[in-house]
Amino acid sequence: MDKSGIFVGGAIGIISVIAVFGILFTIPSEVPKPEIAIGNENSLNKVGDSVTSTATLETTYSENLSLIEIFEKSEPGVVRVNVQRAESIEGVGGVGSGFVFDKKGHIITNAHVVDNARKVVVTFLDGRSYNANIIGSDDYTDIAVIKVDADLSDLQPLSIGDSSNLKVGEQIAAIGNPFGLSGSMTSGIVSQLGRLLPSSGAGYSIPDIIQTDAAINPGNSGGPLLNMRGEVVGINTAIQSATGEFTGVGFAVPSQTVAKIVPILINKGEYKHPWIGISGTDIEPDLAKVLKLADAVGFLVVTVIKDSPADKAGIVGSTKVMETETGRYAIGGDIILSVDGKEVRQIDDILIHLQRAKSVGDEMILEILRDGRTTNVTIILQERPNGN
């Protein structure tokens, strides 16, 4: 491994930074939703059990709060998550964070925080602790839902904001339990949006990730990333570091993903991801020159998995390799130029579009360049097969 890595956890893990293609994120339709509080503290929209599509994030904009006000408003809804692993001895385990989702006792945290847990204990601001059950977990977005049978006075749900409104440079705050230090708050800015982050599910990446310079350390995982109105806009998930300690680059799963995944985990216990079945590479300048393209944009399909949705739609992978003085290149495959009319400059554009807009069973229209001609190909998204 090189000197940098992505560190996750209450129990810290290291995974290499890879960009992997073939998993696409979405939400099945017609699934009942639990009640979700959306908006600011004084004007909450309720998404009730009758709603059958993804929770709509309709933030009522208000004046920004001070960091002191954000902490006082949010701290009661942030919890400490202690985990005993299946392989650990009594008293030894991981520590992470979480936050209250609803008055039914659902707590949101990271999947890697509760992975392989034989016992989960949630501790609230007033010091009261409760055993928690794992309701659902999704490794491919690193989101988990646990549930406690707690006193209503302890259950103070945080408002879910709309991460799509975030701007680079916007101030944000993180609350959690770094190194087990309960109720710690840090602040910073949104450093970038739309990052790809490797998931613990081998071979896939989480799209649309928020990058921040707010200090995130082991133990912060699962805690809320808040905008200056005190709304949750992300779940603190990982850091990039050579040592496992904060170095100025942290990552959070956006609230748009939370709003899609969490209701399904509560109702079904798992989240079914659609599948395309391709791998490839972004078009960079040297490859564009080899392919005789005017611009270095698009995504070159190198491999199409047999019987995948892409294969059934007739997408073509690379057929030969060309060696030049600048390198060795797979060529001959389809080049994806746009998805549903949205320009594709790199793989991130495909993944983010599917994360936000597509479901299993949906049609997806790809504009491709093949043999010097552009054409449209329609793919029917299917559920990813188990074990891939």
Side-chain angles (χ1 to χ4, degrees):
M1 178 177 174
D2 64 15
K3 294 183 178 180
S4 66
I6 300 296
F7 288 74
V8 295
I12 307 168
I14 309 174
I15 52 180
S16 60
V17 182
I18 53 175
V20 200
F21 321 116
I23 179 68
L24 307 171
F25 306 95
T26 186
I27 183 172
S29 60
E30 302 303 321
V31 177
K33 294 296 176 68
E35 186 176 87
I36 305 172
I38 300 172
N40 61 40
E41 191 173 38
N42 298 317
S43 178
L44 297 181
N45 298 316
K46 300 294 185 180
V47 181
D49 291 338
S50 62
V51 177
T52 58
S53 60
T54 301
T56 302
L57 301 175
E58 297 178 350
T59 301
T60 301
Y61 287 94
S62 62
E63 292 184 3
N64 287 348
L65 305 175
S66 69
L67 289 172
I68 294 173
E69 290 170 326
I70 290 173
F71 184 75
E72 291 176 345
K73 172 184 176 181
S74 305
E75 187 188 19
V78 181
V79 301
R80 174 178 170 135
V81 181
N82 287 83
V83 176
Q84 292 292 325
R85 305 288 178 194
E87 70 277 6
S88 68
I89 62 175
E90 189 68 29
V92 178
V95 178
S97 304
F99 60 92
V100 180
F101 183 67
D102 60 25
K103 283 287 189 178
K104 296 179 181 179
H106 293 112
I107 307 289
I108 298 176
T109 187
N110 281 143
H112 75 259
V113 169
V114 297
D115 186 40
N116 294 323
R118 64 180 177 87
K119 183 178 181 181
V120 180
V121 177
V122 170
T123 303
F124 288 83
L125 175 63
D126 63 4
R128 282 188 280 187
S129 296
Y130 302 88
N131 289 330
N133 295 318
I134 300 174
I135 301 301
S137 182
D138 182 55
D139 288 340
Y140 299 107
T141 52
D142 202 15
I143 296 174
V145 178
I146 58 180
K147 187 176 182 180
V148 294
D149 184 15
D151 290 345
L152 286 177
S153 60
D154 276 333
L155 297 173
Q156 299 189 40
L158 300 188
S159 299
I160 308 296
D162 188 348
S163 57
S164 69
N165 290 324
L166 289 175
K167 304 294 183 184
V168 174
E170 180 175 341
Q171 190 173 8
I172 42 78
I175 301 179
N177 306 290
F179 304 108
L181 300 172
S182 298
S184 297
M185 181 181 190
T186 59
S187 65
I189 63 169
V190 174
S191 301
Q192 192 49 264
L193 300 165
R195 296 298 196 197
L196 276 180
L197 182 70
S199 74
S200 59
Y204 302 107
S205 295
I206 309 172
D208 211 13
I209 289 292
I210 302 164
Q211 179 186 330
T212 177
D213 71 349
I216 298 173
N217 284 292
N220 272 118
S221 290
L225 187 71
L226 303 155
N227 63 20
M228 295 307 290
R229 291 176 292 279
E231 301 161 341
V232 178
V233 290
I235 306 174
N236 301 317
T237 295
I239 58 175
Q240 183 165 336
S241 171
T243 64
E245 297 182 4
F246 175 72
T247 58
V249 182
F251 302 102
V253 176
S255 61
Q256 278 193 311
T257 301
V258 173
K260 286 186 175 183
I261 302 293
V262 166
I264 303 301
L265 293 181
I266 290 174
N267 284 283
K268 301 291 186 180
E270 63 178 347
Y271 186 90
K272 306 252 185 222
H273 292 273
W275 186 59
I276 290 181
I278 60 173
S279 66
T281 183
D282 295 332
I283 303 293
E284 44 80 30
D286 287 338
L287 179 56
K289 184 176 180 180
V290 168
L291 297 174
K292 299 180 180 180
L293 302 175
D295 298 305
V297 296
F299 180 74
L300 173 66
V301 178
V302 174
T303 303
V304 178
I305 298 174
K306 185 178 180 181
D307 295 327
S308 67
D311 185 36
K312 292 175 181 178
I315 297 297
V316 176
S318 296
T319 55
K320 56 184 177 179
V321 174
M322 176 179 289
E323 293 190 18
T324 72
E325 60 183 16
T326 59
R328 194 166 182 262
Y329 303 95
I331 62 173
D334 290 337
I335 299 171
I336 301 174
L337 302 175
S338 71
V339 180
D340 292 336
K342 298 179 182 296
E343 183 183 17
V344 171
R345 303 186 67 86
Q346 53 190 4
I347 184 61
D348 305 46
D349 298 323
I350 300 173
L351 296 179
I352 290 173
H353 173 68
L354 287 159
Q355 172 90 329
R356 294 179 177 180
K358 290 297 179 179
S359 301
V360 173
D362 282 354
E363 291 186 352
M364 183 177 67
I365 300 175
L366 303 182
E367 181 189 10
I368 63 169
L369 178 65
R370 179 186 297 169
D371 297 328
R373 297 181 180 180
T374 59
T375 186
N376 288 335
V377 175
T378 300
I379 288 182
I380 308 297
L381 299 175
Q382 300 173 358
E383 181 185 336
R384 186 182 70 241
N386 293 330
N388 287 284

